[in-house]
Amino acid sequence: MPRPPLSRVLLVEDDPDIQVVAWLALSDIGGFTVEVCSSGREALAAVSSFRPDLILMDVMMPDMDGIAALAALRARPAGYNTPVVFMTARAQPHEAARFRQLGSLGVITKPFEPATLAEALRGMWERHFN
Amino acid sequence: MKSDTKSFGDEYALALRRYLEEGGEAPLFRAYQMGRAAVESGMGMLEIATAHQKALLVDLLLMLAPQASARTAQRASEFFAEALAAFEANRRGFKEAASVLRGQNQDLERRVRAADQAYRTVREQLDEHRRIEMLKDEFVSLVSHELRTPLTSIHGALALIPSKLERALPEPAERLLEIARRNSERLKRLIDNILDLQKTESGLVAFDMRPLQVRSLLKQAIDANQPYAAQLGVKLMLGEVAPGLRFEADSDRIMQVLANLLSNAAKFSPPGDSVVVAAGRDGDWVRVTVTDRGPGIPEGFRHRVFQRFAQADSSTTRARGGTGLGLSISKAMVERMRGRIGFDTAEGGGTTFHFELQACEPLQRNEGACLGLP
């Protein structure tokens, strides 16, 4: 079924500097509506209130990491199958394959290019729904 | 067997008795033969003793006849002295044989113990080696994560500055920004390279070995690296490639090796010059060559070409944006793909880097040869 274009992105990242850079890249350059939070636990709460189209989430975070957050999200009753894209500084090939198995749309490797980050997310979104 | 033994025993006792009664060479020889036959047919010590007793018992009876007794007793004692001597000799022989056997046995045991010890040592060393490799891998992976996290914000912030400027920066500031950008790019490559090298050398990451068309692979590599070479005013060209040539490799990794060799050759070529890539069959191998007409590798540097962070002249390499890891990564990757890598160079006369990988037969003839099937 055809989906509306990607517009609301929830950014989950514990490093405050990367938060700023990614937020600028997504909102200023990408034109998305962005909400930022810094752990998997916060993200789970934000999913209900903010209702994002897509979640861009760091893998290694204190409190609740990206993988645990994805599992918790998928365990909720229907309606919470929000697509997730992981962000990681440790993208070994076998790790990327594992993330996909866990049900993520794709992986963004750190350091990412701010100029093309939004484009990359749109690409994954398109490939997933069309 | 058993009845033979019994009859040989009886024969022996009979022959012995005859010798004791009559004396002489022939009866003695007969007694000797029968004795041997009895022993060889499996007669035990107890049965031999029985035979001796039988002979002696007869002798004892004979001894009652006074005329025969002295001579018979004499012969009997001689015979038993001889038999005893032979027995003693055998016993010594047996003792010697036993001691030799014991010695050999101990020697064997020592060897088995030594081999066992050696095996255990090697296994412990292997376990230790594997443990260290895993620790190293984990460490490198962790460190690269720790380095990449701050690098992500540096790289991102630098990239975003232009979009946040209302007017152009003054020229010196623009130059400083460019320096920062270029070096964050280089740091990123360096971290990627260290990870690549570690992954390749540790053997913990599998290589996806497949038969690949050499010609199309080389074309692809040239296309991918042409923009970089063009920045340096150098042209990458495909030279002679034997038709139908295929080798077995991991395509991503071999592209990385080619990118390293091509960018190196471009870096060291004079502007306006070209770098030629070619491939041919050499026995069971496919040999790929990357040739430049640059200054050549200085004599004193040749033995260090594949070492990590080795750079003939660090100022030139730094100026050209190298990390000093490209060739050591290439070597590690080619060797993981069961190939070899090397170079020919003449100072002032250009350099040819070459690598060899196992050739595959053309598709239609023998697909199995390339998949490593027996």
Side-chain angles (χ1 to χ4, degrees):
Chain A
M1 84 188 153
R3 277 246 174 173
L6 177 59
S7 82
R8 297 169 75 80
V9 175
L10 177 64
L11 172 67
V12 192
E13 165 64 59
D14 63 309
D15 185 295
D17 292 341
I18 299 178
Q19 275 182 9
V20 173
V21 169
W23 176 72
L24 281 173
L26 294 173
S27 59
D28 269 32
I29 297 174
F32 298 138
T33 307
V34 181
E35 182 155 310
V36 183
C37 51
S38 22
S39 81
R41 211 171 294 284
E42 282 178 36
L44 290 179
V47 168
S48 318
S49 54
F50 177 63
R51 293 264 164 190
D53 299 324
L54 181 141
I55 305 170
L56 178 61
M57 184 153 59
D58 189 23
V59 175
M60 283 173 72
M61 289 182 293
D63 189 16
M64 181 189 249
D65 70 14
I67 291 165
L70 176 61
L73 193 67
R74 293 288 184 260
R76 286 186 176 183
Y80 286 98
N81 52 357
T82 316
V84 169
V85 171
F86 280 126
M87 235 185 335
T88 177
R90 291 178 84 169
Q92 309 254 13
H94 63 277
E95 285 174 325
R98 197 173 123 242
F99 296 152
R100 255 187 294 281
Q101 265 181 356
L102 287 170
S104 73
L105 289 197
V107 178
I108 300 283
T109 314
K110 287 179 184 173
F112 54 82
E113 290 302 330
T116 54
L117 179 64
E119 238 6 84
L121 292 188
R122 277 200 187 93
M124 290 177 191
W125 176 267
E126 295 292 325
R127 271 197 301 283
H128 185 62
F129 288 111
N130 304 317
Chain B
M1 236 1 209
K2 205 72 202 162
S3 64
D4 274 0
T5 305
K6 186 156 168 41
S7 68
F8 280 131
D10 290 346
E11 287 286 324
Y12 172 58
L14 209 68
L16 192 56
R17 198 186 79 193
R18 225 173 121 211
Y19 166 69
L20 291 175
E21 277 171 15
E22 296 171 14
E25 286 288 308
L28 178 61
F29 184 62
R30 169 125 185 112
Y32 168 72
Q33 271 187 322
M34 286 301 110
R36 262 190 72 145
V39 170
E40 275 167 15
S41 73
M43 193 163 162
M45 288 311 273
L46 191 69
E47 286 155 304
I48 289 179
T50 313
H52 285 171
Q53 250 178 4
K54 258 188 205 165
L56 278 177
L57 197 67
V58 174
D59 199 48
L60 215 64
L61 291 173
L62 279 176
M63 272 163 75
L64 297 177
Q67 70 273 32
S69 63
R71 217 180 50 225
T72 306
Q74 170 73 19
R75 281 199 199 108
S77 72
E78 277 168 14
F79 181 83
F80 283 111
E82 259 176 62
L84 205 68
F87 185 73
E88 192 54 33
N90 271 343
R91 207 165 64 101
R92 263 205 306 279
F94 177 75
K95 266 169 90 175
E96 269 167 39
S99 100
V100 168
L101 270 176
R102 238 196 322 275
Q104 284 176 345
N105 217 7
Q106 280 168 356
D107 188 43
L108 262 177
E109 266 174 34
R110 256 198 308 279
R111 284 190 207 196
V112 167
R113 264 202 304 276
D116 192 51
Q117 188 57 43
Y119 168 73
R120 237 177 280 176
T121 310
V122 168
R123 211 182 50 186
E124 276 163 20
Q125 282 170 350
L126 256 178
D127 287 349
E128 180 65 5
H129 179 73
R130 224 170 275 149
R131 204 177 62 83
I132 290 172
E133 275 305 324
M134 278 172 76
L135 276 177
K136 207 169 109 190
D137 191 62
E138 185 56 29
F139 176 73
V140 170
S141 175
L142 201 76
V143 166
S144 74
H145 173 262
E146 294 309 316
L147 293 175
R148 272 171 171 169
T149 301
L151 187 61
T152 303
S153 29
I154 296 173
H155 188 80
L158 287 170
L160 284 167
I161 286 176
S163 72
K164 290 280 135 193
L165 289 177
E166 310 212 323
R167 54 196 155 84
L169 280 174
E171 167 63 13
E174 186 57 59
R175 264 180 56 201
L176 291 173
L177 195 59
E178 180 49 35
I179 289 171
R181 237 182 254 134
R182 204 172 57 234
N183 281 282
S184 87
E185 197 61 53
R186 182 158 165 235
L187 193 54
K188 185 178 147 205
R189 269 204 311 279
L190 195 56
I191 295 168
D192 289 346
N193 281 351
I194 290 172
L195 258 185
D196 278 343
L197 190 60
Q198 170 59 13
K199 272 188 284 188
T200 307
E201 285 186 343
S202 70
L204 292 174
V205 178
F207 275 41
D208 183 20
M209 300 293 283
R210 284 168 198 279
L212 302 171
Q213 291 284 356
V214 176
R215 194 186 171 80
S216 62
L217 192 83
L218 296 184
K219 268 182 158 167
Q220 237 178 293
I222 286 174
D223 290 346
N225 294 282
Q226 200 70 266
Y228 174 79
Q231 286 174 19
L232 301 163
V234 176
K235 192 166 164 43
L236 306 179
M237 288 182 9
L238 189 63
E240 210 169 302
V241 179
L245 213 54
R246 301 196 315 155
F247 56 42
E248 193 179 84
D250 176 308
S251 67
D252 289 349
R253 265 60 177 250
I254 203 66
M255 284 300 276
Q256 212 174 326
V257 170
L258 282 164
N260 280 329
L261 298 183
L262 289 171
S263 62
N264 262 0
K267 262 182 239 173
F268 291 101
S269 291
D273 217 346
S274 50
V275 169
V276 179
V277 190
R281 184 80 183 241
D282 180 10
D284 289 339
W285 302 87
V286 173
R287 184 185 176 95
V288 175
T289 55
V290 177
T291 305
D292 68 60
R293 284 181 299 189
I297 301 170
E299 176 96 52
F301 178 65
R302 287 174 200 166
H303 66 287
R304 291 194 298 131
V305 162
F306 289 109
Q307 284 175 14
R308 296 168 198 195
F309 300 113
Q311 291 168 347
D313 174 357
S314 54
S315 63
T316 52
T317 321
R318 212 170 285 148
R320 286 163 176 158
T323 61
L325 286 172
L327 285 175
S328 37
I329 291 174
S330 301
K331 185 172 193 294
M333 286 183 169
V334 168
E335 284 172 1
R336 267 294 297 280
M337 292 185 270
R338 300 187 287 274
R340 49 196 188 209
I341 190 168
F343 61 89
D344 299 311
T345 188
E347 205 151 341
T351 303
T352 296
F353 270 90
H354 49 81
F355 63 83
E356 280 109 53
L357 289 171
Q358 246 146 35
C360 305
E361 297 311 316
L363 208 73
Q364 55 274 40
R365 267 203 290 167
N366 190 357
E367 180 69 344
C370 231
L371 301 171
L373 303 175

